[in-house]
mmCIF file of all heavy atoms in Angstrom:
data_model
loop_
_atom_site.group_PDB
_atom_site.id
_atom_site.type_symbol
_atom_site.label_atom_id
_atom_site.label_comp_id
_atom_site.label_asym_id
_atom_site.label_seq_id
_atom_site.Cartn_x
_atom_site.Cartn_y
_atom_site.Cartn_z
ATOM 1 N N MET A 252 -8.349 18.842 9.773
ATOM 2 C CA MET A 252 -7.844 17.551 9.217
ATOM 3 C C MET A 252 -8.163 16.413 10.240
ATOM 4 O O MET A 252 -8.235 16.647 11.402
ATOM 5 C CB MET A 252 -6.393 17.575 9.036
ATOM 6 C CG MET A 252 -5.954 18.275 7.752
ATOM 7 S SD MET A 252 -4.258 17.837 7.232
ATOM 8 C CE MET A 252 -3.514 19.416 7.557
ATOM 9 N N ASP A 253 -8.252 15.216 9.732
ATOM 10 C CA ASP A 253 -8.463 14.056 10.476
ATOM 11 C C ASP A 253 -7.237 13.763 11.259
ATOM 12 O O ASP A 253 -6.114 14.058 10.846
ATOM 13 C CB ASP A 253 -8.892 12.899 9.571
ATOM 14 C CG ASP A 253 -10.231 13.086 8.923
ATOM 15 O OD1 ASP A 253 -11.259 13.276 9.703
ATOM 16 O OD2 ASP A 253 -10.221 13.075 7.714
ATOM 17 N N LYS A 254 -7.469 12.931 12.334
ATOM 18 C CA LYS A 254 -6.264 12.492 13.123
ATOM 19 C C LYS A 254 -5.432 11.539 12.299
ATOM 20 O O LYS A 254 -4.174 11.527 12.503
ATOM 21 C CB LYS A 254 -6.792 11.747 14.359
ATOM 22 C CG LYS A 254 -7.501 12.681 15.382
ATOM 23 C CD LYS A 254 -7.962 11.877 16.610
ATOM 24 C CE LYS A 254 -8.656 12.768 17.551
ATOM 25 N NZ LYS A 254 -9.191 12.050 18.719
ATOM 26 N N GLU A 255 -6.028 10.793 11.418
ATOM 27 C CA GLU A 255 -5.228 9.900 10.573
ATOM 28 C C GLU A 255 -4.255 10.653 9.648
ATOM 29 O O GLU A 255 -3.123 10.186 9.433
ATOM 30 C CB GLU A 255 -6.141 8.970 9.704
ATOM 31 C CG GLU A 255 -6.940 8.006 10.467
ATOM 32 C CD GLU A 255 -8.215 8.523 11.037
ATOM 33 O OE1 GLU A 255 -8.547 9.659 10.691
ATOM 34 O OE2 GLU A 255 -8.893 7.803 11.791
ATOM 35 N N VAL A 256 -4.614 11.801 9.210
ATOM 36 C CA VAL A 256 -3.802 12.618 8.317
ATOM 37 C C VAL A 256 -2.623 13.110 9.131
ATOM 38 O O VAL A 256 -1.480 13.091 8.708
ATOM 39 C CB VAL A 256 -4.525 13.809 7.704
ATOM 40 C CG1 VAL A 256 -3.668 14.757 6.958
ATOM 41 C CG2 VAL A 256 -5.695 13.270 6.831
ATOM 42 N N TYR A 257 -2.836 13.611 10.398
ATOM 43 C CA TYR A 257 -1.807 14.074 11.238
ATOM 44 C C TYR A 257 -0.845 12.955 11.602
ATOM 45 O O TYR A 257 0.397 13.126 11.542
ATOM 46 C CB TYR A 257 -2.378 14.670 12.504
ATOM 47 C CG TYR A 257 -2.920 16.052 12.350
ATOM 48 C CD1 TYR A 257 -4.315 16.231 12.731
ATOM 49 C CD2 TYR A 257 -2.295 17.125 11.831
ATOM 50 C CE1 TYR A 257 -4.945 17.500 12.548
ATOM 51 C CE2 TYR A 257 -2.857 18.360 11.673
ATOM 52 C CZ TYR A 257 -4.184 18.563 12.015
ATOM 53 O OH TYR A 257 -4.770 19.769 11.816
ATOM 54 N N ALA A 258 -1.400 11.819 11.782
ATOM 55 C CA ALA A 258 -0.533 10.611 12.113
ATOM 56 C C ALA A 258 0.347 10.220 10.961
ATOM 57 O O ALA A 258 1.533 9.859 11.059
ATOM 58 C CB ALA A 258 -1.380 9.434 12.502
ATOM 59 N N ALA A 259 -0.243 10.298 9.716
ATOM 60 C CA ALA A 259 0.603 9.962 8.505
ATOM 61 C C ALA A 259 1.674 10.913 8.271
ATOM 62 O O ALA A 259 2.842 10.582 7.940
ATOM 63 C CB ALA A 259 -0.411 9.880 7.268
ATOM 64 N N ILE A 260 1.361 12.215 8.523
ATOM 65 C CA ILE A 260 2.413 13.279 8.355
ATOM 66 C C ILE A 260 3.492 13.106 9.396
ATOM 67 O O ILE A 260 4.683 13.131 9.043
ATOM 68 C CB ILE A 260 1.791 14.685 8.419
ATOM 69 C CG1 ILE A 260 0.840 14.936 7.225
ATOM 70 C CG2 ILE A 260 2.839 15.774 8.455
ATOM 71 C CD1 ILE A 260 0.029 16.216 7.323
ATOM 72 N N ALA A 261 3.068 12.780 10.612
ATOM 73 C CA ALA A 261 4.114 12.539 11.659
ATOM 74 C C ALA A 261 4.960 11.322 11.403
ATOM 75 O O ALA A 261 6.197 11.443 11.581
ATOM 76 C CB ALA A 261 3.362 12.404 13.006
ATOM 77 N N MET A 262 4.391 10.253 10.817
ATOM 78 C CA MET A 262 5.239 9.095 10.577
ATOM 79 C C MET A 262 6.153 9.379 9.399
ATOM 80 O O MET A 262 7.238 8.927 9.378
ATOM 81 C CB MET A 262 4.311 7.938 10.222
ATOM 82 C CG MET A 262 3.521 7.399 11.429
ATOM 83 S SD MET A 262 4.559 6.847 12.684
ATOM 84 C CE MET A 262 5.405 5.508 11.947
ATOM 85 N N ALA A 263 5.667 10.098 8.387
ATOM 86 C CA ALA A 263 6.525 10.495 7.247
ATOM 87 C C ALA A 263 7.717 11.336 7.647
ATOM 88 O O ALA A 263 8.860 11.085 7.288
ATOM 89 C CB ALA A 263 5.815 11.131 6.184
ATOM 90 N N LEU A 264 7.463 12.361 8.548
ATOM 91 C CA LEU A 264 8.487 13.149 9.079
ATOM 92 C C LEU A 264 9.505 12.320 9.866
ATOM 93 O O LEU A 264 10.691 12.497 9.821
ATOM 94 C CB LEU A 264 7.977 14.320 9.849
ATOM 95 C CG LEU A 264 7.329 15.473 9.034
ATOM 96 C CD1 LEU A 264 6.601 16.455 9.914
ATOM 97 C CD2 LEU A 264 8.391 16.054 8.138
ATOM 98 N N HIS A 265 8.990 11.426 10.682
ATOM 99 C CA HIS A 265 9.781 10.615 11.554
ATOM 100 C C HIS A 265 10.722 9.733 10.670
ATOM 101 O O HIS A 265 11.935 9.706 11.027
ATOM 102 C CB HIS A 265 8.825 9.679 12.396
ATOM 103 C CG HIS A 265 9.541 8.927 13.451
ATOM 104 N ND1 HIS A 265 9.968 7.621 13.328
ATOM 105 C CD2 HIS A 265 9.778 9.256 14.708
ATOM 106 C CE1 HIS A 265 10.514 7.276 14.433
ATOM 107 N NE2 HIS A 265 10.431 8.251 15.322
ATOM 108 N N ASP A 266 10.271 9.083 9.636
ATOM 109 C CA ASP A 266 11.004 8.296 8.743
ATOM 110 C C ASP A 266 12.079 9.208 7.945
ATOM 111 O O ASP A 266 13.174 8.781 7.783
ATOM 112 C CB ASP A 266 10.177 7.480 7.833
ATOM 113 C CG ASP A 266 9.513 6.300 8.424
ATOM 114 O OD1 ASP A 266 10.018 5.916 9.526
ATOM 115 O OD2 ASP A 266 8.632 5.730 7.814
ATOM 116 N N ASP A 267 11.625 10.317 7.523
ATOM 117 C CA ASP A 267 12.453 11.153 6.711
ATOM 118 C C ASP A 267 13.580 11.692 7.545
ATOM 119 O O ASP A 267 14.742 11.886 6.990
ATOM 120 C CB ASP A 267 11.620 12.307 6.069
ATOM 121 C CG ASP A 267 12.454 13.058 5.134
ATOM 122 O OD1 ASP A 267 12.991 12.481 4.144
ATOM 123 O OD2 ASP A 267 12.510 14.338 5.238
ATOM 124 N N LEU A 268 13.450 11.953 8.796
ATOM 125 C CA LEU A 268 14.421 12.511 9.665
ATOM 126 C C LEU A 268 15.455 11.450 10.160
ATOM 127 O O LEU A 268 16.381 11.751 10.838
ATOM 128 C CB LEU A 268 13.860 13.296 10.760
ATOM 129 C CG LEU A 268 13.076 14.543 10.424
ATOM 130 C CD1 LEU A 268 12.408 15.125 11.617
ATOM 131 C CD2 LEU A 268 14.031 15.512 9.806
ATOM 132 N N GLY A 269 15.144 10.144 9.809
ATOM 133 C CA GLY A 269 16.086 9.100 10.218
ATOM 134 C C GLY A 269 15.858 8.513 11.621
ATOM 135 O O GLY A 269 16.751 7.934 12.119
ATOM 136 N N TYR A 270 14.711 8.639 12.125
ATOM 137 C CA TYR A 270 14.426 8.159 13.456
ATOM 138 C C TYR A 270 13.868 6.728 13.380
ATOM 139 O O TYR A 270 13.419 6.181 14.372
ATOM 140 C CB TYR A 270 13.425 9.024 14.219
ATOM 141 C CG TYR A 270 13.966 10.306 14.543
ATOM 142 C CD1 TYR A 270 13.369 11.461 13.995
ATOM 143 C CD2 TYR A 270 15.112 10.506 15.362
ATOM 144 C CE1 TYR A 270 13.934 12.785 14.332
ATOM 145 C CE2 TYR A 270 15.574 11.776 15.632
ATOM 146 C CZ TYR A 270 15.021 12.874 15.215
ATOM 147 O OH TYR A 270 15.471 14.056 15.415
ATOM 148 N N ASN A 271 13.893 6.093 12.230
ATOM 149 C CA ASN A 271 13.331 4.696 12.073
ATOM 150 C C ASN A 271 14.499 3.793 12.602
ATOM 151 O O ASN A 271 15.626 3.970 12.289
ATOM 152 C CB ASN A 271 12.861 4.407 10.674
ATOM 153 C CG ASN A 271 13.888 4.786 9.624
ATOM 154 O OD1 ASN A 271 14.942 5.334 9.962
ATOM 155 N ND2 ASN A 271 13.560 4.532 8.335
ATOM 156 N N MET A 272 14.105 2.780 13.281
ATOM 157 C CA MET A 272 15.020 1.833 13.858
ATOM 158 C C MET A 272 15.057 0.485 13.045
ATOM 159 O O MET A 272 14.287 -0.417 13.397
ATOM 160 C CB MET A 272 14.684 1.571 15.346
ATOM 161 C CG MET A 272 14.646 2.805 16.142
ATOM 162 S SD MET A 272 16.272 3.523 16.269
ATOM 163 C CE MET A 272 17.029 2.376 17.365
ATOM 164 N N HIS A 273 15.852 0.417 12.055
ATOM 165 C CA HIS A 273 16.014 -0.718 11.199
ATOM 166 C C HIS A 273 17.344 -1.440 11.513
ATOM 167 O O HIS A 273 18.254 -0.729 11.807
ATOM 168 C CB HIS A 273 15.924 -0.441 9.737
ATOM 169 C CG HIS A 273 14.518 0.035 9.298
ATOM 170 N ND1 HIS A 273 13.376 -0.836 9.191
ATOM 171 C CD2 HIS A 273 14.070 1.232 8.943
ATOM 172 C CE1 HIS A 273 12.428 -0.137 8.833
ATOM 173 N NE2 HIS A 273 12.742 1.142 8.628
ATOM 174 N N ASP A 274 17.298 -2.677 11.489
ATOM 175 C CA ASP A 274 18.520 -3.501 11.641
ATOM 176 C C ASP A 274 19.501 -3.297 10.508
ATOM 177 O O ASP A 274 19.084 -3.140 9.296
ATOM 178 C CB ASP A 274 18.255 -4.961 11.818
ATOM 179 C CG ASP A 274 17.454 -5.274 13.009
ATOM 180 O OD1 ASP A 274 17.425 -4.512 13.954
ATOM 181 O OD2 ASP A 274 16.801 -6.326 13.125
ATOM 182 N N GLU A 275 20.779 -3.278 10.732
ATOM 183 C CA GLU A 275 21.723 -3.265 9.654
ATOM 184 C C GLU A 275 21.793 -4.625 9.064
ATOM 185 O O GLU A 275 22.022 -5.669 9.743
ATOM 186 C CB GLU A 275 23.103 -2.797 10.159
ATOM 187 C CG GLU A 275 23.197 -1.460 10.600
ATOM 188 C CD GLU A 275 23.032 -0.435 9.447
ATOM 189 O OE1 GLU A 275 23.499 -0.685 8.280
ATOM 190 O OE2 GLU A 275 22.413 0.621 9.619
ATOM 191 N N GLU A 276 21.665 -4.750 7.814
ATOM 192 C CA GLU A 276 21.683 -6.048 7.130
ATOM 193 C C GLU A 276 22.965 -6.184 6.318
ATOM 194 O O GLU A 276 23.584 -5.208 5.832
ATOM 195 C CB GLU A 276 20.531 -6.215 6.117
ATOM 196 C CG GLU A 276 19.180 -6.154 6.831
ATOM 197 C CD GLU A 276 18.849 -7.325 7.688
ATOM 198 O OE1 GLU A 276 19.491 -8.398 7.456
ATOM 199 O OE2 GLU A 276 18.026 -7.256 8.589
ATOM 200 N N SER A 277 23.500 -7.425 6.285
ATOM 201 C CA SER A 277 24.781 -7.681 5.619
ATOM 202 C C SER A 277 24.610 -7.673 4.052
ATOM 203 O O SER A 277 25.524 -7.506 3.341
ATOM 204 C CB SER A 277 25.395 -8.992 5.996
ATOM 205 O OG SER A 277 24.497 -10.030 5.629
ATOM 206 N N GLY A 278 23.360 -7.951 3.529
ATOM 207 C CA GLY A 278 23.127 -7.956 2.211
ATOM 208 C C GLY A 278 23.406 -9.403 1.554
ATOM 209 O O GLY A 278 23.328 -9.594 0.438
ATOM 210 N N LYS A 279 23.775 -10.304 2.419
ATOM 211 C CA LYS A 279 24.106 -11.659 1.937
ATOM 212 C C LYS A 279 22.908 -12.574 2.171
ATOM 213 O O LYS A 279 22.392 -12.601 3.190
ATOM 214 C CB LYS A 279 25.236 -12.214 2.743
ATOM 215 C CG LYS A 279 25.722 -13.538 2.254
ATOM 216 C CD LYS A 279 26.848 -14.148 3.215
ATOM 217 C CE LYS A 279 28.104 -13.335 3.120
ATOM 218 N NZ LYS A 279 29.213 -13.992 3.930
ATOM 219 N N LEU A 280 22.543 -13.341 1.120
ATOM 220 C CA LEU A 280 21.372 -14.261 1.186
ATOM 221 C C LEU A 280 21.953 -15.652 1.306
ATOM 222 O O LEU A 280 22.894 -16.038 0.708
ATOM 223 C CB LEU A 280 20.628 -14.169 -0.180
ATOM 224 C CG LEU A 280 19.924 -12.854 -0.465
ATOM 225 C CD1 LEU A 280 19.246 -12.973 -1.864
ATOM 226 C CD2 LEU A 280 18.809 -12.538 0.618
ATOM 227 N N THR A 281 21.291 -16.290 2.245
ATOM 228 C CA THR A 281 21.645 -17.723 2.423
ATOM 229 C C THR A 281 20.365 -18.543 2.179
ATOM 230 O O THR A 281 19.328 -18.311 2.776
ATOM 231 C CB THR A 281 22.216 -18.059 3.828
ATOM 232 O OG1 THR A 281 21.286 -17.546 4.765
ATOM 233 C CG2 THR A 281 23.584 -17.376 4.004
ATOM 234 N N ILE A 282 20.435 -19.475 1.265
ATOM 235 C CA ILE A 282 19.260 -20.267 0.995
ATOM 236 C C ILE A 282 19.557 -21.681 1.309
ATOM 237 O O ILE A 282 20.577 -22.335 0.814
ATOM 238 C CB ILE A 282 18.917 -20.226 -0.546
ATOM 239 C CG1 ILE A 282 18.650 -18.752 -0.844
ATOM 240 C CG2 ILE A 282 17.773 -21.026 -0.826
ATOM 241 C CD1 ILE A 282 18.474 -18.482 -2.359
ATOM 242 N N GLN A 283 18.857 -22.237 2.261
ATOM 243 C CA GLN A 283 18.971 -23.573 2.646
ATOM 244 C C GLN A 283 17.731 -24.360 2.354
ATOM 245 O O GLN A 283 16.657 -23.936 2.690
ATOM 246 C CB GLN A 283 19.332 -23.742 4.136
ATOM 247 C CG GLN A 283 20.599 -22.989 4.523
ATOM 248 C CD GLN A 283 20.883 -23.010 6.043
ATOM 249 O OE1 GLN A 283 19.949 -23.242 6.765
ATOM 250 N NE2 GLN A 283 22.079 -22.677 6.406
ATOM 251 N N SER A 284 17.903 -25.591 1.723
ATOM 252 C CA SER A 284 16.831 -26.437 1.435
ATOM 253 C C SER A 284 16.344 -27.133 2.717
ATOM 254 O O SER A 284 17.097 -27.612 3.401
ATOM 255 C CB SER A 284 17.180 -27.389 0.378
ATOM 256 O OG SER A 284 16.119 -28.254 0.174
ATOM 257 N N HIS A 285 15.052 -27.096 2.884
ATOM 258 C CA HIS A 285 14.414 -27.876 3.980
ATOM 259 C C HIS A 285 13.137 -28.524 3.546
ATOM 260 O O HIS A 285 12.472 -28.037 2.654
ATOM 261 C CB HIS A 285 14.299 -27.044 5.209
ATOM 262 C CG HIS A 285 13.382 -25.889 5.002
ATOM 263 N ND1 HIS A 285 13.779 -24.710 4.365
ATOM 264 C CD2 HIS A 285 12.101 -25.716 5.393
ATOM 265 C CE1 HIS A 285 12.814 -23.871 4.305
ATOM 266 N NE2 HIS A 285 11.763 -24.433 4.975
ATOM 267 N N ASP A 286 12.797 -29.619 4.164
ATOM 268 C CA ASP A 286 11.548 -30.357 3.787
ATOM 269 C C ASP A 286 10.393 -29.640 4.397
ATOM 270 O O ASP A 286 10.351 -29.242 5.515
ATOM 271 C CB ASP A 286 11.646 -31.772 4.264
ATOM 272 C CG ASP A 286 12.622 -32.549 3.515
ATOM 273 O OD1 ASP A 286 12.878 -32.323 2.349
ATOM 274 O OD2 ASP A 286 13.250 -33.522 4.140
ATOM 275 N N THR A 287 9.336 -29.410 3.549
ATOM 276 C CA THR A 287 8.125 -28.967 3.952
ATOM 277 C C THR A 287 6.946 -29.743 3.441
ATOM 278 O O THR A 287 7.207 -30.765 2.666
ATOM 279 C CB THR A 287 7.881 -27.469 3.516
ATOM 280 O OG1 THR A 287 7.809 -27.486 2.070
ATOM 281 C CG2 THR A 287 9.054 -26.547 3.939
ATOM 282 N N GLU A 288 5.785 -29.469 3.871
ATOM 283 C CA GLU A 288 4.655 -30.286 3.333
ATOM 284 C C GLU A 288 4.518 -30.037 1.885
ATOM 285 O O GLU A 288 4.176 -30.956 1.129
ATOM 286 C CB GLU A 288 3.395 -29.760 4.035
ATOM 287 C CG GLU A 288 2.116 -30.618 3.690
ATOM 288 C CD GLU A 288 0.853 -30.143 4.493
ATOM 289 O OE1 GLU A 288 1.010 -29.586 5.526
ATOM 290 O OE2 GLU A 288 -0.170 -30.405 3.967
ATOM 291 N N TRP A 289 4.813 -28.753 1.415
ATOM 292 C CA TRP A 289 4.699 -28.579 -0.021
ATOM 293 C C TRP A 289 5.702 -29.270 -0.895
ATOM 294 O O TRP A 289 5.302 -29.964 -1.851
ATOM 295 C CB TRP A 289 4.868 -27.043 -0.291
ATOM 296 C CG TRP A 289 4.902 -26.654 -1.736
ATOM 297 C CD1 TRP A 289 6.084 -26.267 -2.435
ATOM 298 C CD2 TRP A 289 3.842 -26.716 -2.623
ATOM 299 N NE1 TRP A 289 5.671 -26.068 -3.745
ATOM 300 C CE2 TRP A 289 4.380 -26.250 -3.940
ATOM 301 C CE3 TRP A 289 2.478 -26.943 -2.543
ATOM 302 C CZ2 TRP A 289 3.532 -26.156 -4.997
ATOM 303 C CZ3 TRP A 289 1.733 -26.826 -3.596
ATOM 304 C CH2 TRP A 289 2.199 -26.468 -4.881
ATOM 305 N N THR A 290 7.003 -29.458 -0.421
ATOM 306 C CA THR A 290 7.954 -30.159 -1.175
ATOM 307 C C THR A 290 7.629 -31.646 -1.128
ATOM 308 O O THR A 290 7.903 -32.318 -2.098
ATOM 309 C CB THR A 290 9.336 -29.839 -0.677
ATOM 310 O OG1 THR A 290 9.494 -30.135 0.686
ATOM 311 C CG2 THR A 290 9.733 -28.411 -0.947
ATOM 312 N N SER A 291 7.060 -32.163 -0.051
ATOM 313 C CA SER A 291 6.820 -33.563 -0.048
ATOM 314 C C SER A 291 5.703 -33.943 -0.949
ATOM 315 O O SER A 291 5.758 -34.966 -1.539
ATOM 316 C CB SER A 291 6.489 -34.039 1.454
ATOM 317 O OG SER A 291 5.291 -33.472 1.789
ATOM 318 N N LYS A 292 4.741 -33.070 -1.159
ATOM 319 C CA LYS A 292 3.726 -33.250 -2.116
ATOM 320 C C LYS A 292 4.248 -33.275 -3.523
ATOM 321 O O LYS A 292 3.878 -34.116 -4.341
ATOM 322 C CB LYS A 292 2.612 -32.209 -2.035
ATOM 323 C CG LYS A 292 1.677 -32.391 -0.819
ATOM 324 C CD LYS A 292 0.582 -31.325 -0.747
ATOM 325 C CE LYS A 292 -0.223 -31.528 0.498
ATOM 326 N NZ LYS A 292 -1.230 -30.459 0.652
ATOM 327 N N VAL A 293 5.157 -32.392 -3.821
ATOM 328 C CA VAL A 293 5.777 -32.453 -5.148
ATOM 329 C C VAL A 293 6.545 -33.618 -5.446
ATOM 330 O O VAL A 293 6.503 -34.246 -6.519
ATOM 331 C CB VAL A 293 6.710 -31.120 -5.388
ATOM 332 C CG1 VAL A 293 7.584 -31.229 -6.586
ATOM 333 C CG2 VAL A 293 5.913 -29.837 -5.242
ATOM 334 N N VAL A 294 7.300 -34.178 -4.467
ATOM 335 C CA VAL A 294 8.012 -35.323 -4.606
ATOM 336 C C VAL A 294 7.100 -36.550 -4.868
ATOM 337 O O VAL A 294 7.364 -37.398 -5.676
ATOM 338 C CB VAL A 294 8.948 -35.603 -3.356
ATOM 339 C CG1 VAL A 294 9.553 -37.009 -3.390
ATOM 340 C CG2 VAL A 294 10.011 -34.516 -3.318
ATOM 341 N N LYS A 295 6.059 -36.660 -4.090
ATOM 342 C CA LYS A 295 5.064 -37.672 -4.242
ATOM 343 C C LYS A 295 4.431 -37.632 -5.638
ATOM 344 O O LYS A 295 4.196 -38.666 -6.288
ATOM 345 C CB LYS A 295 3.944 -37.662 -3.205
ATOM 346 C CG LYS A 295 4.390 -38.050 -1.847
ATOM 347 C CD LYS A 295 3.289 -37.801 -0.867
ATOM 348 C CE LYS A 295 3.771 -38.102 0.568
ATOM 349 N NZ LYS A 295 2.715 -37.896 1.565
ATOM 350 N N MET A 296 4.141 -36.417 -6.189
ATOM 351 C CA MET A 296 3.454 -36.367 -7.479
ATOM 352 C C MET A 296 4.385 -36.590 -8.594
ATOM 353 O O MET A 296 3.967 -37.131 -9.642
ATOM 354 C CB MET A 296 2.757 -34.988 -7.547
ATOM 355 C CG MET A 296 1.569 -34.843 -6.619
ATOM 356 S SD MET A 296 0.828 -33.177 -6.593
ATOM 357 C CE MET A 296 1.189 -32.399 -8.080
ATOM 358 N N THR A 297 5.621 -36.134 -8.486
ATOM 359 C CA THR A 297 6.470 -36.076 -9.661
ATOM 360 C C THR A 297 7.693 -37.103 -9.567
ATOM 361 O O THR A 297 8.277 -37.543 -10.594
ATOM 362 C CB THR A 297 7.095 -34.758 -9.964
ATOM 363 O OG1 THR A 297 7.866 -34.325 -8.847
ATOM 364 C CG2 THR A 297 6.010 -33.721 -10.140
ATOM 365 N N GLY A 298 7.988 -37.400 -8.292
ATOM 366 C CA GLY A 298 9.231 -38.267 -8.135
ATOM 367 C C GLY A 298 10.544 -37.541 -8.252
ATOM 368 O O GLY A 298 11.552 -38.054 -8.100
ATOM 369 N N ILE A 299 10.399 -36.139 -8.406
ATOM 370 C CA ILE A 299 11.645 -35.312 -8.544
ATOM 371 C C ILE A 299 11.956 -34.846 -7.133
ATOM 372 O O ILE A 299 11.103 -34.259 -6.482
ATOM 373 C CB ILE A 299 11.332 -34.087 -9.404
ATOM 374 C CG1 ILE A 299 11.017 -34.597 -10.871
ATOM 375 C CG2 ILE A 299 12.578 -33.172 -9.474
ATOM 376 C CD1 ILE A 299 10.528 -33.497 -11.788
ATOM 377 N N THR A 300 13.126 -35.032 -6.697
ATOM 378 C CA THR A 300 13.613 -34.471 -5.426
ATOM 379 C C THR A 300 14.089 -33.132 -5.522
ATOM 380 O O THR A 300 14.778 -32.743 -6.601
ATOM 381 C CB THR A 300 14.645 -35.332 -4.801
ATOM 382 O OG1 THR A 300 15.753 -35.375 -5.655
ATOM 383 C CG2 THR A 300 14.139 -36.689 -4.460
ATOM 384 N N ILE A 301 13.739 -32.208 -4.622
ATOM 385 C CA ILE A 301 14.118 -30.823 -4.660
ATOM 386 C C ILE A 301 15.265 -30.537 -3.763
ATOM 387 O O ILE A 301 15.326 -31.069 -2.678
ATOM 388 C CB ILE A 301 12.932 -29.950 -4.300
ATOM 389 C CG1 ILE A 301 11.782 -30.151 -5.260
ATOM 390 C CG2 ILE A 301 13.398 -28.450 -4.268
ATOM 391 C CD1 ILE A 301 10.522 -29.410 -4.903
#
């Protein structure tokens, strides 16, 4: 087998056994409006503020 196959199997076992290090997330989304180049173009073209 190729080395890539062995690497893929090793990574799958690593994740399956719970050795992956992910942050605990609260599950809460916070959406804050902020000005970007994209929103300024929309305002200029339509006059609608976002």
Side-chain angles (χ1 to χ4, degrees):
M252 277 198 252
D253 294 299
K254 291 180 182 179
E255 290 86 7
V256 174
Y257 287 122
I260 292 170
M262 291 301 296
L264 288 171
H265 190 266
D266 282 347
D267 189 53
L268 294 174
Y270 294 117
N271 49 359
M272 300 296 288
H273 291 286
D274 295 337
E275 291 293 324
E276 298 290 338
S277 66
K279 184 186 293 185
L280 295 176
T281 55
I282 301 172
Q283 297 175 346
S284 177
H285 61 280
D286 292 329
T287 64
E288 185 177 337
W289 175 252
T290 57
S291 66
K292 286 180 182 178
V293 170
V294 171
K295 287 178 186 176
M296 290 174 22
T297 62
I299 299 171
T300 56
I301 299 175

